[in-house]
Amino acid sequence: MNEKLLQYLWNYKIFLNYNFKDLNGNPIEIVDFGTLNTDSGPDFLMAKIKINNIILAGNIELHVKSSDWIFHQHSQDPNYDNIILHVVYQNDTDLQELQDKNIPTLELKGHIDENIFGKYEKLLKDSQFIPCEKIFNPDQIPLHFYEESLLKKLEEKSRELEKDLEVHKNNYEAVLFHSLAYSFGLKVNSHLFKDIAESIDFGVFNKIRQNKTQTEALFFGISGWLEDPKDEQMKIWKREFDFLKAKFGISDLIIRPKFLRLRPPNFPTIRLSQLADLYYQHQNLFSKIINAKKADELFTIFKDIKASEYWNNHFNFAKISPVDQQKMLSKDFIELIILNSILPLKYTYHKFYNEEIADEIMAFYREISAEKNSIIDGWKNLGLKIKTALQTQSLIYHYKNYCSTKNCLNCSIGFKILKEDSHVQ
């Protein structure tokens, strides 16, 4: 038993029975268990109890042992002046101070199913995909779990986008550009690609986007790849970049993307060229994305995007590849962009004036097939039937925010596991 688990049991009222009595044998009725306090001070605020036919309103403090009141030095702390009940798992010492103030103590040891302790220990054990792996059952997935988890992820992503919107004076097109750059960079170069995009005044970018050669030159020049051109195409890009620098006063800042541990199709050279083509092909990109009603409409935007002709037989500068083919966006990559950039932005754009936007965005996720990665494989190994991106996005979010951090006491699945077979009345 620890205090965190004790707070959890009290907050969710997981007891064998509610026949509570204080140390003197007086019955205690918990009229209101109070609200969990996440700041300093008593554990539960605004509670109500009934004892000796008197209703008391105030705060409740929980401890594993009653002596913790002394060890935590609550006696002289004015935050604990309005305590109406001291709740402990085990009463190991009588507290004269509380007796003098007529503050009752409730011992919970006989009211808690000890099987919960074993379950909680299993949840915290290492070397498992998720803490509850050995006691997990697919039937323990709560109703609306996927929708609620995805909504949490969308809200979290939306807050990040809103910060960017504040910085960029509510320019959604600029924020879309930055978000797309982040996605095109994948895990290795995501932050570097976004830095490149943010280093470019979006007004400048808008003026040159119809010239694909200039857009590539801008990306490649800021990446520091044009300093020593080795073939004719590189010389063209270098000339265009020098022109743009002089015309628009572009700084000498160099942001160098990484090639290490990347498969050639994901090289930053290819991805930046494809990003340039996206903005070259779609002059009204933001409007098309915002107005799309179906996932297929979003796929159509990206399906013909490709790197420029130079990259048909190159993956890096001045190094000819034996394979000569267009570098198109794969279906998996398009789905990644839609899931991680497009849909969160659509949600953010519409959420303040469209009450139905959450349901509409969920429909997009349901239309997209399930992602494939090691986290999803782990869930599948536990018996889950996973068919859509709604499920995969939810499960990935849940794994990262609850399972990998062992945040089991705040997990809806963990709640069902701990509560199961606890004979709660």
Side-chain angles (χ1 to χ4, degrees):
M1 172 62 73
N2 59 46
E3 194 164 309
K4 189 174 181 181
L5 177 58
L6 191 62
Q7 291 173 348
Y8 175 85
L9 298 174
W10 184 264
N11 192 39
Y12 290 101
K13 309 169 185 61
I14 304 177
F15 304 111
L16 292 171
N17 60 70
Y18 295 101
N19 300 320
F20 299 137
K21 295 181 179 181
D22 70 3
L23 297 179
N24 297 320
N26 299 308
I28 300 176
E29 178 186 348
I30 310 300
V31 180
D32 189 330
F33 282 72
T35 302
L36 180 63
N37 177 25
T38 56
D39 296 320
S40 59
D43 294 311
F44 287 84
L45 308 177
M46 298 180 291
K48 290 182 181 178
I49 68 170
K50 184 177 181 180
I51 184 170
N52 295 327
N53 293 317
I54 298 173
I55 293 180
L56 303 175
N59 304 325
I60 295 175
E61 178 66 5
L62 275 65
H63 288 123
V64 176
K65 296 180 179 180
S66 52
S67 57
D68 290 337
W69 177 276
I70 300 170
F71 296 141
H72 295 174
Q73 299 179 333
H74 293 327
S75 298
Q76 308 304 318
D77 190 337
N79 287 317
Y80 295 85
D81 287 348
N82 196 27
I83 294 293
I84 59 171
L85 180 66
H86 188 213
V87 177
V88 301
Y89 174 69
Q90 180 181 1
N91 183 57
D92 65 336
T93 187
D94 292 330
L95 298 172
Q96 190 62 44
E97 172 193 349
L98 297 185
Q99 292 177 11
D100 292 344
K101 294 180 179 179
N102 292 318
I103 298 174
T105 295
L106 167 61
E107 185 180 58
L108 290 176
K109 191 171 183 180
H111 299 277
I112 297 174
D113 184 354
E114 295 189 0
N115 290 326
I116 285 180
F117 304 149
K119 289 181 180 181
Y120 183 56
E121 288 176 5
K122 286 181 181 179
L123 291 177
L124 299 184
K125 280 187 178 178
D126 293 322
S127 68
Q128 298 180 125
F129 166 63
I130 58 175
C132 62
E133 180 172 322
K134 293 183 179 178
I135 51 178
F136 176 83
N137 185 318
D139 294 337
Q140 290 160 335
I141 297 289
L143 186 66
H144 305 308
F145 166 82
Y146 297 114
E147 291 82 359
E148 290 173 1
S149 293
L150 181 56
L151 194 56
K152 288 179 185 177
K153 179 175 183 175
L154 284 169
E155 280 296 333
E156 189 175 288
K157 184 68 175 177
S158 184
R159 286 193 291 271
E160 294 175 10
L161 290 169
E162 286 165 8
K163 289 179 182 177
D164 285 346
L165 285 165
E166 186 175 347
V167 171
H168 297 283
K169 300 179 181 179
N170 215 36
N171 188 334
Y172 272 91
E173 291 195 69
V175 171
L176 171 64
F177 176 45
H178 305 154
S179 182
L180 284 169
Y182 183 91
S183 288
F184 269 77
L186 295 172
K187 186 180 293 185
V188 173
N189 285 309
S190 56
H191 290 286
L192 294 172
F193 272 30
K194 187 179 182 187
D195 287 345
I196 290 172
E198 289 182 336
S199 74
I200 303 168
D201 184 291
F202 190 72
V204 171
F205 180 76
N206 243 348
K207 291 176 181 178
I208 69 166
R209 59 191 285 187
Q210 293 183 359
N211 186 325
K212 187 176 177 181
T213 299
Q214 286 191 340
T215 306
E216 284 184 294
L218 187 59
F219 289 159
F220 298 158
I222 293 174
S223 300
W225 294 330
L226 303 178
E227 295 166 340
D228 182 22
K230 291 183 170 61
D231 60 26
E232 192 58 35
Q233 183 59 53
M234 289 187 71
K235 291 177 183 177
I236 294 173
W237 281 323
K238 174 71 162 62
R239 186 167 62 247
E240 292 292 344
F241 181 61
D242 289 343
F243 167 76
L244 294 172
K245 279 188 69 175
K247 182 176 180 178
F248 297 110
I250 295 170
S251 74
D252 294 326
L253 177 68
I254 299 295
I255 302 169
R256 297 186 186 276
K258 302 173 184 177
F259 290 81
L260 190 64
R261 293 189 296 277
L262 285 173
R263 293 172 56 250
N266 288 328
F267 276 5
T269 47
I270 307 301
R271 293 308 185 195
L272 284 173
S273 180
Q274 291 167 335
L275 180 60
D277 190 51
L278 174 64
Y279 275 90
Y280 169 72
Q281 288 199 37
H282 298 286
Q283 298 303 309
N284 299 313
L285 180 62
F286 179 76
S287 295
K288 291 178 181 179
I289 285 170
I290 291 302
N291 294 325
K293 301 299 183 184
K294 295 285 185 180
D296 286 346
E297 295 177 50
L298 295 176
F299 274 99
T300 299
I301 294 172
F302 294 93
K303 70 181 182 67
D304 293 326
I305 302 304
K306 58 186 178 299
S308 58
E309 188 176 347
Y310 177 84
W311 301 108
N312 287 356
N313 60 354
H314 291 78
F315 286 102
N316 211 331
F317 295 96
K319 295 180 181 179
I320 296 178
S321 167
V323 179
D324 190 333
Q325 63 180 21
Q326 288 184 328
K327 305 297 192 298
M328 309 290 293
L329 296 181
S330 69
K331 180 177 180 293
D332 287 346
F333 190 77
I334 293 173
E335 288 180 348
L336 186 72
I337 295 168
I338 292 173
L339 294 174
N340 293 327
S341 286
I342 304 305
L343 294 181
L345 188 73
K346 280 176 69 69
Y347 174 78
T348 302
Y349 182 79
H350 289 291
K351 73 174 185 177
F352 292 112
Y353 59 87
N354 181 358
E355 294 180 358
E356 307 297 326
I357 189 57
D359 291 335
E360 292 175 15
I361 294 296
M362 296 291 173
F364 276 96
Y365 282 95
R366 289 189 182 94
E367 291 175 29
I368 300 174
S369 57
E371 300 157 87
K372 300 174 184 177
N373 55 50
S374 59
I375 294 177
I376 298 305
D377 287 342
W379 286 109
K380 285 182 176 179
N381 291 336
L382 295 178
L384 288 185
K385 305 298 182 184
I386 303 171
K387 297 180 179 179
T388 71
L390 171 65
Q391 293 172 289
T392 56
Q393 287 281 293
S394 300
L395 291 168
I396 291 169
Y397 176 83
H398 192 81
Y399 176 81
K400 291 180 177 178
N401 288 273
Y402 295 90
C403 303
S404 64
T405 59
K406 296 185 178 178
N407 190 12
C408 305
L409 296 182
N410 291 312
C411 165
S412 56
I413 300 172
F415 172 74
K416 288 195 72 172
I417 290 173
L418 286 173
K419 192 171 181 179
E420 197 174 72
D421 299 326
S422 293
H423 311 295
V424 181
Q425 297 180 5

